[in-house]
Structure formats: structure tokens, C-alpha cells
Amino acid sequence: MSYDKGSIWYKRDIKGDRIASAGIFFPEIANNKARYLVDKCDVSGIITTGVDFGKNGSDHAFCSQKIARDFSRVCVLRSDKKNCSPDSEEVVDTLGIGQVLAKLEIGFIKHVKYVVKKWGMISYIFCDSAEPELIEFLRKALRKNGYNIPIINSLKIKIPSRIHLWGILFMQDRISFVKGETEEIIKGFQDVVKDEDEEDDIYLDDGTSDIDILDSNNYGIEKWYAQLLRIGGN
């Protein structure tokens, strides 16, 4: 596993140059999605799910991935969004908890059931730590549906660190996406751009790209940031 010598990540990490990002953060997948697509996941490891709670009317985001036991690869299995706004289609609220929570529970449990049935048991679920009430609600939803999966607060590492880790994974071809299951997260990576008003690597969060789905993927892998960040490959 090695770097693309024309990438900013090679110039920064290997050559030690101070190179600024500009425009799209991940041109590799933006220009060549097929490079990262797989028909099935052959990674042996643990399955994690990241959950980002939508804010200001944005959708809730769920992303599940399998992380290799030796941290050599990450395979994204499934990404989903759930619109829980009052304007979205109503669902049956049998518990009388209100439409917003009922929609969140349906979207979350649907994602979990799908992943468990197709790829195996989820080891950990990491949620946006800024929403403790919603996290407790999801814990109860899991128990009600017969799942004993631990839900853990996300670490929420700094955004430049997230960008750096993703950049390394793309450059070294250590991240892949199951075809037909991961369109939301793929589009998120293809569209995300640098906020030119920021000196550091900060993505533009103005609604033009899907930051929520990227955050959900980050929550699912950031616990192993140091192990995954293999500068220069093996």
C-alpha cells in the first residue's frame, strides 16, 4: 500500500511540504468511483455503525462499515438517511412517542436489521455525543427489538484529522464501498469541498454537500484513528 506521488497527502506526509488543499478534498473517488467499488466485502473484522443526528431539519444519517482486525482496510457496507422532519411522510406511531421519534426509530432499526441480516452482528454503534437524550432513546429501541449492541458516544475528533485519515485511506486504496449499498456516503465524499475561509482542512458545511453522512462514517472508525493512520503504508 503506497501513496499517489501526485497527491497532497504524499507531499505533506512523505516529503514534508506545506501544501494547501483546494476544491474537492477527495478527487480520487470524485473522478473514479469504480476504483473503490466492490461487489462483496471480503474484509475480516468488526462491524461498526455510526449515527449522526440531523440538525436544523437535515436528515439523520447511518453508516455501517467493517474494519479489518489488522486495521489494513475499511469496507463501507451500507449508508442510509432518514428524513424525520414534520414535512416528511407520516409513519404509524403505535407508542404515541410523536412522529419525529417514531421516524428516527424506524430508520435506525431498519438500518441495523439490514446490516445484521446481510453481514453479521454489529459490534459497536457510535452516536453523535451532542445528543444524549436521542442516544438513550436508541438504546431503548435496540433492546425493544432484541439487540444487545453497545451504543458509545462518538469521540468527535477534529475535522482536519478526519480529512487526513480519509485522504490516507483513499490514497492507499484501503477503503472500499459495497456496490449498490453505499450511494449516500460515496456522493458525500465526491461532493465535499474545502471551506476556503478556513486555514486548516475544514469542509464547507453550507448544505451543498452531505456532511451528516460523512460524520456518521467518521464516528464509526475514529476510535481506531491511530491504528488506521498508517503513514506511508506497510
Side-chain angles (χ1 to χ4, degrees):
M1 294 176 289
S2 60
Y3 280 62
D4 176 348
K5 293 187 177 181
S7 72
I8 63 168
W9 315 107
Y10 175 84
K11 293 173 182 176
R12 285 178 176 178
D13 298 333
I14 304 303
K15 297 185 67 179
D17 296 341
R18 293 182 60 84
I19 303 293
S21 302
I24 294 173
F25 269 121
F26 309 110
E28 301 80 19
I29 193 168
N31 298 327
N32 186 11
K33 178 174 73 172
R35 171 178 169 181
Y36 300 98
L37 292 179
V38 294
D39 292 318
K40 63 179 181 179
C41 179
D42 61 358
V43 171
S44 176
I46 64 168
I47 297 174
T48 70
T49 297
V51 178
D52 185 70
F53 300 113
K55 302 172 185 66
N56 301 319
S58 63
D59 296 350
H60 298 304
F62 315 107
C63 187
S64 292
Q65 44 280 315
K66 185 174 281 190
I67 303 171
R69 296 194 183 279
D70 63 356
F71 306 105
S72 60
R73 296 167 63 196
V74 174
C75 181
V76 184
L77 305 171
R78 178 78 185 182
S79 61
D80 288 301
K81 302 292 294 292
K82 182 62 178 178
N83 184 349
C84 298
S85 70
D87 297 332
S88 61
E89 183 179 353
E90 288 197 1
V91 298
V92 177
D93 179 15
T94 57
L95 298 179
I97 56 178
Q99 283 292 307
V100 172
L101 289 180
K103 292 171 186 175
L104 171 59
E105 180 176 2
I106 288 172
F108 173 65
I109 294 299
K110 180 179 179 181
H111 179 92
V112 169
K113 284 184 174 179
Y114 187 92
V115 171
V116 170
K117 182 178 180 179
K118 190 159 186 176
W119 290 287
M121 185 53 64
I122 298 167
S123 297
Y124 305 100
I125 296 174
F126 297 91
C127 291
D128 185 346
S129 56
E131 301 289 348
E133 296 86 359
L134 292 181
I135 290 175
E136 186 57 33
F137 174 75
L138 294 188
R139 286 195 179 106
K140 293 178 180 177
L142 285 175
R143 290 195 294 268
K144 186 174 71 175
N145 285 271
Y147 293 107
N148 186 27
I149 306 171
I151 294 185
I152 302 171
N153 286 346
S154 63
L155 297 176
K156 302 191 82 162
I157 63 174
K158 294 183 182 298
I159 292 174
S161 296
R162 305 178 195 187
I163 298 295
H164 191 201
L165 176 57
W166 283 324
I168 299 303
L169 294 175
F170 281 118
M171 285 298 96
Q172 296 180 343
D173 287 299
R174 292 170 50 212
I175 188 168
S176 57
F177 303 83
V178 176
K179 189 183 302 183
E181 305 277 4
T182 51
E183 290 307 309
E184 295 87 355
I185 184 69
I186 289 172
K187 190 173 189 309
F189 280 123
Q190 289 179 316
D191 292 347
V192 67
V193 297
K194 178 176 170 54
D195 186 340
E196 298 299 343
D197 293 331
E198 297 285 347
E199 182 176 347
D200 293 330
D201 285 341
I202 304 294
Y203 37 60
L204 184 64
D205 190 1
D206 65 349
T208 56
S209 58
D210 192 346
I211 301 303
D212 296 330
I213 197 68
L214 296 183
D215 286 347
S216 68
N217 174 254
N218 169 68
Y219 298 157
I221 67 174
E222 64 181 354
K223 176 179 172 62
W224 300 277
Y225 175 84
Q227 293 92 330
L228 290 168
L229 194 64
R230 295 183 170 189
I231 305 300
N234 287 334

